[in-house]
Amino acid sequence: MFPSTQIHTLDCHCIKCHNSHQKSSYAAKRTKTRRNKRARVEAAMRNMDVDTEVIPTSRSDSVKAMDGQANSPFLDAASMFDNDRDDNDFDANVEDEVNEIEIEDFNSEDPFAAPDMPENEVHQFIAIFTVLFASRHVVDKGAAVLIEFINNLLRIYDQDFQLPTSLAGLQKMTGFSAITKGIKKFVVCQDCHTVYQDIVSAPPRCVSSKLGARSACNCNLTKSISSGALVAKREYVYQSIKNTLSVFFRRPSFEAKILRGTIIDPMHNLFLGTSKRLMDRWIDEKTIGPEEFASMEKIAETMVLPRDYTTLTTKIGKGFSYMKADEWKSWVLVYSPVLLHGILPPLQFKNWMYFVDACRYYVKPSITFDEITTSHSLLEKFCNACNVDYTATILTCNMQLHLHLHECIRDFGPVYGYWLFGFERYNGILKNFKTNGKDGFEATYMKNFVQNAYKGDYVNAVLKSSSQIPFIHTLSKLVTTSIPAATVTTLSSRPFRLQAFVQGYTDPYNPPKGNEPLPPSTFPLKYKKPSVMDDSDYLHLLEYYQVAYNLPDLASYQDTSYNRPALDNQIIKLKSIDILGQHYQGTNNSTISRGSLVQAKFVGSNGNIILGFAGQIQYLFTHSFQLPPTHNLHLTRMVHDHQHVFAFIKWFRTSSDRSREDDSVEFCLPTFSPDSYHSIIPVHRILLEVATATIATSRNVSKMLVIPLPKKLYA
């Protein structure tokens, strides 16, 4: 009648069930396995030949304390004997016991609950701003002064609201203190590493005994400080995994982004491994010397890179000393295709470009299966050529792992999910935390790290009203992580679809018009003050709308002699814009133009060839355009969003020199083509970021090299 119950339950005869009036009970297979495992552990502990006076004391003070801690990082004692069990004791079809926690358990309690938060939305903003500002810029004593100052202002303006006078009270009222509520401190024995609950319940000396010993460890657990108080000699600080997951599961699509497994780290494998090893080999073999380093440094000084890439200048001239992983990454992807050309022998340079092209594929946050196959083929060519071009000592285990990267990416996804760049970045964050140099710095590290990690989630949780959206830009300056975009409205009434967005910049035959949905992570936009568009640029904008919407009769705002629709010349410039991980900004009359160099696709004059053009963003702007009532879109009742987001781009003149195409490097002239309506381009059409370098030919003709860089897709 209940076949599923019969299949997944067994008759359990453990001690707990045996003591019941029925002498047994039905239990899940996993439950029975756990009970049997625990029974064997208890029997093993009873049979251990140790001092019977020591074990009960140790267990009552340490092991018992750990068992009672729900958020303890330690496994059940039964796990210590898992490797020694007889596999025949278990049903082969029964899985090992796993302490499962349902997702609903994480959502049952709001980790950012703030029941004492004021109802007035402006008062909420003041409280949140104060607690975030104090956590980032003010020490504890200064926070009290800041709170007193704000309370005085509130009284001056006759507000019926006052902040708590202490920082701790303010954090409790706003719910900010809940961020670190999952942090626990344990006392640890320095000798046998037994863990005790806390300094209050821990004995003065360790009462545990080492494996096989007949007496207690008896190591001092505490020490006296100058004030006379007792503190732990060693502490273990632990952040509750359940509290952490309760925050993560509130983030959109967290479950779909969980990565698992242990794999090859591409950061060490590709950049700190092979690239560094080959550079050392070239230096040792005198292939590259001081003269070559000097000429390479001279060209490197002319190069302009996107913001996310580390610049290299003096380190090249100094022979690549003390290079970090992100610097090696910039060297491989951006600098080396330009600087090593003509320095390395042709065959060695060709082989090196196999490695560079493979890295360009592998470092992409989004990669296709065909690209994985292509990358693997390139690395095979590279490794085989290394065996020919160099001595056998160049071939290391690290190179052998190159040929297994494609399996890792197929199994676990793009490398951004597991390479150690993020780990190294967090090491830098931890090093910059300021401590007083006294005991307890581990807790200070943990508290600061957890607060910084969850500030964005905290702001998103407490600002629930759409009227509070203007506050988000101010609060984002106090938050190290980005504030989730769930509370931010977009410019479009249509939902964002990644596939349609990708098609917009890859298919120039059906280009977007500029009012299509942008990724939610792009918002809120960073607006400047409204302004009037320059008349010469306005004429190109007018022509753009005439062509894009097939409106040849669309008139200029200056043309008032005809009864026909006119185009407004009011725009709002943007400071910058972030689209799926790319950061774009205009030149703003600056000689440093990182983030302004881009590439876009256009249809050739014959209509059959798709060409990629490189250019420099002059400025980004939004413009409102309402279609005339007689336009086809209105007649078909299709939705039209009037807000458009554009970039005004000056395009570099093309060159007939195609000698570097095989190296994925293009030649351009370092001058701009005349402006036209093609200078007005929707930000949706920007294909990718590029780096540039200026070189002089043998005839002293200045040319620009354009290095296309991998496209990010952070949806």
Side-chain angles (χ1 to χ4, degrees):
M1 186 174 181
F2 302 102
S4 61
T5 302
Q6 294 174 359
I7 291 174
H8 297 290
T9 61
L10 295 171
D11 194 16
C12 183
H13 296 273
C14 69
I15 296 176
K16 180 179 178 181
C17 296
H18 183 75
N19 291 336
S20 65
H21 68 280
Q22 294 179 342
K23 303 300 182 182
S24 66
S25 68
Y26 280 107
K29 290 182 178 181
R30 289 185 176 182
T31 302
K32 180 184 177 182
T33 304
R34 184 183 69 248
R35 292 174 180 174
N36 289 337
K37 193 182 296 183
R38 185 179 293 276
R40 289 198 308 277
V41 171
E42 292 174 351
M45 294 181 69
R46 287 195 298 268
N47 294 329
M48 289 176 67
D49 185 16
V50 295
D51 192 333
T52 56
E53 294 295 321
V54 175
I55 292 298
T57 306
S58 174
R59 181 161 181 80
S60 62
D61 288 330
S62 60
V63 180
K64 180 180 178 181
M66 292 186 290
D67 289 343
Q69 173 59 43
N71 289 326
S72 173
F74 309 102
L75 300 175
D76 187 276
S79 62
M80 295 187 295
F81 295 88
D82 284 351
N83 294 332
D84 299 328
R85 74 175 187 263
D86 184 357
D87 292 336
N88 296 327
D89 291 345
F90 295 88
D91 185 347
N93 296 322
V94 178
E95 297 179 358
D96 289 341
E97 172 63 17
V98 178
N99 292 327
E100 295 181 339
I101 301 177
E102 297 296 334
I103 294 174
E104 289 75 11
D105 293 342
F106 298 120
N107 298 327
S108 60
E109 181 182 357
D110 185 1
F112 303 114
D116 299 327
M117 185 75 80
E119 296 182 359
N120 186 295
E121 294 176 354
V122 176
H123 295 167
Q124 289 182 15
F125 166 72
I126 293 173
I128 297 169
F129 175 87
T130 306
V131 75
L132 290 176
F133 186 88
S135 72
R136 186 176 177 90
H137 298 296
V138 183
V139 296
D140 291 349
K141 292 182 180 179
V145 178
L146 175 65
I147 292 172
E148 182 181 1
F149 170 74
I150 293 175
N151 282 336
N152 287 333
L153 287 180
L154 291 170
R155 279 192 292 269
I156 291 172
Y157 288 95
D158 297 327
Q159 296 294 309
D160 58 347
F161 167 70
Q162 291 283 287
L163 297 174
T165 56
S166 67
L167 179 60
L170 178 62
Q171 290 177 339
K172 182 178 180 181
M173 183 195 76
T174 56
F176 188 75
S177 59
I179 291 180
T180 56
K181 69 180 181 181
I183 297 178
K184 305 292 182 183
K185 291 196 295 184
F186 299 89
V187 179
V188 182
C189 175
Q190 291 180 301
D191 188 15
C192 68
H193 307 293
T194 300
V195 179
Y196 296 83
Q197 176 94 3
D198 52 47
I199 190 65
V200 177
S201 61
R205 292 178 177 273
C206 180
V207 296
S208 180
S209 59
K210 297 180 181 179
L211 185 63
R214 292 182 174 273
S215 60
C217 174
N218 208 31
C219 178
N220 281 326
L221 298 177
T222 59
K223 64 180 179 180
S224 178
I225 58 177
S226 57
S227 63
L230 289 177
V231 298
K233 295 183 74 173
R234 176 174 292 179
E235 285 185 339
Y236 175 75
V237 184
Y238 173 71
Q239 160 70 1
S240 166
I241 294 178
K242 184 174 180 180
N243 281 29
T244 301
L245 291 176
S246 67
V247 176
F248 285 170
F249 274 105
R250 289 176 177 271
R251 296 181 178 179
S253 306
F254 170 72
E255 296 174 58
K257 297 177 180 178
I258 296 177
L259 294 173
R260 55 197 173 106
T262 302
I263 50 178
I264 303 168
D265 169 37
M267 183 190 79
H268 287 88
N269 182 246
L270 296 174
F271 302 122
L272 284 175
T274 296
S275 57
K276 182 178 185 301
R277 184 173 180 81
L278 280 177
M279 178 56 66
D280 292 340
R281 175 59 64 94
W282 295 330
I283 294 174
D284 292 341
E285 294 181 348
K286 310 299 183 183
T287 304
I288 302 178
E291 183 178 346
E292 288 77 16
F293 283 133
S295 63
M296 289 162 60
E297 182 179 6
K298 186 176 180 180
I299 298 175
E301 290 174 349
T302 70
M303 297 183 69
V304 180
L305 278 67
R307 192 181 65 167
D308 291 340
Y309 289 84
T310 304
T311 57
L312 304 176
T313 50
T314 58
K315 287 195 174 182
I316 294 177
K318 294 179 180 178
F320 294 83
S321 58
Y322 305 105
M323 293 270 285
K324 298 179 181 178
D326 60 337
E327 293 170 328
W328 282 114
K329 177 186 171 188
S330 291
W331 162 252
V332 172
L333 299 178
V334 185
Y335 286 94
S336 68
V338 176
L339 303 183
L340 290 180
H341 186 264
I343 300 293
L344 293 180
L347 289 179
Q348 288 189 8
F349 179 76
K350 181 180 179 180
N351 181 35
W352 171 253
M353 289 307 301
Y354 289 150
F355 179 78
V356 172
D357 290 338
C359 290
R360 285 171 174 168
Y361 283 117
Y362 275 152
V363 302
K364 294 172 64 176
S366 178
I367 186 170
T368 65
F369 286 109
D370 289 340
E371 289 173 336
I372 295 174
T373 302
T374 302
S375 303
H376 179 65
S377 176
L378 289 168
L379 284 181
E380 281 186 325
K381 292 180 180 179
F382 168 73
C383 292
N384 288 330
C386 282
N387 193 30
V388 175
D389 296 339
Y390 307 97
T391 59
T393 56
I394 197 70
L395 300 176
T396 63
C397 295
N398 189 66
M399 277 193 175
Q400 195 273 338
L401 290 177
H402 290 343
L403 305 183
H404 292 279
L405 274 173
H406 72 293
E407 299 169 350
C408 289
I409 296 175
R410 284 181 180 274
D411 293 340
F412 302 104
V415 298
Y416 272 71
Y418 44 83
W419 64 7
L420 293 183
F421 278 109
F423 180 84
E424 297 295 342
R425 181 169 62 88
Y426 277 122
N427 280 340
I429 293 174
L430 289 174
K431 287 197 313 185
N432 291 328
F433 284 156
K434 293 181 174 59
T435 65
N436 56 14
K438 299 180 181 179
D439 292 334
F441 69 92
E442 296 94 343
T444 302
Y445 278 145
M446 178 68 80
K447 185 175 181 180
N448 280 274
F449 179 82
V450 173
Q451 284 182 349
N452 289 334
Y454 297 152
K455 281 178 183 177
D457 299 280
Y458 164 76
V459 172
N460 189 53
V462 295
L463 294 184
K464 296 182 173 63
S465 173
S466 59
S467 62
Q468 295 173 309
I469 290 175
F471 303 147
I472 290 181
H473 179 65
T474 302
L475 295 177
S476 64
K477 299 177 181 179
L478 304 173
V479 174
T480 53
T481 55
S482 60
I483 298 176
T487 59
V488 181
T489 56
T490 64
L491 300 179
S492 176
S493 59
R494 293 167 287 174
F496 172 76
R497 302 191 184 281
L498 181 60
Q499 184 176 1
F501 186 83
V502 171
Q503 186 177 2
Y505 62 75
T506 55
D507 182 10
Y509 291 103
N510 298 288
K513 293 179 171 59
N515 63 339
E516 290 80 5
L518 287 169
S521 57
T522 301
F523 299 93
L525 296 177
K526 303 175 182 66
Y527 291 107
K528 295 183 179 180
K529 294 181 179 180
S531 60
V532 175
M533 196 173 194
D534 181 81
D535 284 344
S536 59
D537 294 348
Y538 171 79
L539 294 177
H540 303 314
L541 180 65
L542 175 62
E543 186 179 1
Y544 170 82
Y545 278 118
Q546 290 173 340
V547 174
Y549 285 100
N550 192 23
L551 293 170
D553 295 331
L554 185 64
S556 167
Y557 74 97
Q558 299 171 328
D559 189 355
T560 58
S561 59
Y562 298 98
N563 186 18
R564 57 179 183 172
L567 184 69
D568 189 13
N569 67 338
Q570 297 288 324
I571 62 173
I572 303 178
K573 291 186 178 181
L574 303 177
K575 298 177 182 178
S576 60
I577 191 169
D578 294 284
I579 301 179
L580 297 179
Q582 278 73 217
H583 178 84
Y584 303 117
Q585 62 184 31
T587 56
N588 297 321
N589 299 321
S590 173
T591 55
I592 300 175
S593 51
R594 300 186 69 180
S596 64
L597 299 172
V598 296
Q599 189 179 66
K601 287 184 177 181
F602 289 89
V603 178
S605 57
N606 60 1
N608 296 324
I609 301 176
I610 297 177
L611 303 174
F613 286 84
Q616 188 178 61
I617 299 175
Q618 303 303 300
Y619 57 89
L620 300 153
F621 67 98
T622 64
H623 183 264
S624 179
F625 172 65
Q626 197 71 39
L627 283 173
T630 57
H631 193 271
N632 292 336
L633 280 177
H634 284 296
L635 297 178
T636 57
R637 297 185 178 181
M638 292 182 64
V639 176
H640 172 75
D641 296 303
H642 60 88
Q643 285 288 352
H644 295 65
V645 186
F646 295 116
F648 189 93
I649 300 178
K650 288 183 176 291
W651 301 104
F652 293 109
R653 293 180 181 272
T654 58
S655 171
S656 58
D657 190 344
R658 300 287 185 267
S659 60
R660 298 295 306 277
E661 280 188 344
D662 292 341
D663 304 329
S664 299
V665 176
E666 304 170 5
F667 274 111
C668 287
L669 299 179
T671 56
F672 296 116
S673 300
D675 295 338
S676 67
Y677 79 92
H678 291 300
S679 299
I680 306 292
I681 183 172
V683 295
H684 313 62
R685 287 192 60 187
I686 298 177
L687 178 62
L688 43 78
E689 297 175 289
V690 300
T692 60
T694 303
I695 63 171
T697 64
S698 56
R699 297 182 179 181
N700 203 27
V701 177
S702 181
K703 285 189 177 183
M704 177 180 288
L705 282 171
V706 176
I707 308 100
L709 299 173
K711 177 85 171 181
K712 299 186 182 72
L713 283 178
Y714 295 149

